[in-house]
Amino acid sequence: MPPPKPPSRVDNIPFPVFGCTWFGVPALPPKNTGCSVLAYCGGGGSAKTGVNNKINLAVTVTAPPPASDGEPGGGEVGSSITTKYNVNIGTKEQVCVGVHLFDGGQALGGGVYLLAAVGDEVRLYTVPLQAPPEPTLSPEDETKILKQKDDTDKPPPGLEYLLGSIHVGDKYGSNAVSFNPVDSTVVVGCENGHVVLFQMEKNVRWCNLSPNCRHGRAC
């Protein structure tokens, strides 16, 4: 395999990565507002490995500079400011193996959201499009935290972004998840051979559409 060429790059992640997804909206005139969100998930599986299970969001937001009153729209016409930050979401003793980013649109009233396949669940997170108030950890500090033993009594980081979850089924094992913006349907591929569909509503209420759909059968 030939070496990657610019602007390609290789990043070293301090844990095994099991799933990744990328969402982006280009910053085009006249609004010059856009975002790019890269999400990846993984970890050590068990807390005994010393590597915590987590979802990481690498967020880039482009917007016009603020005016003197703090509202967007200041600065020269066509100018913009780009902000980059990371958001860490812990999944405690369960490893996330599948993630999917999508535009909330009519389903959730706009915004960017993340679906995560964790154990027998699918979790729904909101993606913050403003930098968190706390400073981002340095790579050295993050590596130290990842090597610490998972404290089950301590709430995981990023819990404030969790909007809700759905239990797919006992011992189903959620492996892959995706979202259909046409009819607000979530599809979940499971380790036991099931493919399960859910309807999502604005109040994050889930309705199971195909509880008996199995591998080899049409939903």
Side-chain angles (χ1 to χ4, degrees), residues 55-114:
I55 304 168
N56 189 77
L57 306 176
V59 185
T60 302
V61 177
T62 302
S68 57
D69 56 3
E71 294 294 327
E76 299 179 359
V77 177
S79 62
S80 61
I81 295 177
T82 297
T83 305
K84 297 182 179 182
Y85 51 93
N86 291 329
V87 177
N88 294 323
I89 299 174
T91 58
K92 301 297 283 183
E93 69 279 357
Q94 291 185 312
V95 62
C96 178
V97 296
V99 284
H100 178 74
L101 289 163
F102 67 98
D103 185 342
Q106 295 182 353
L108 296 171
V112 181
Y113 297 87
L114 174 77

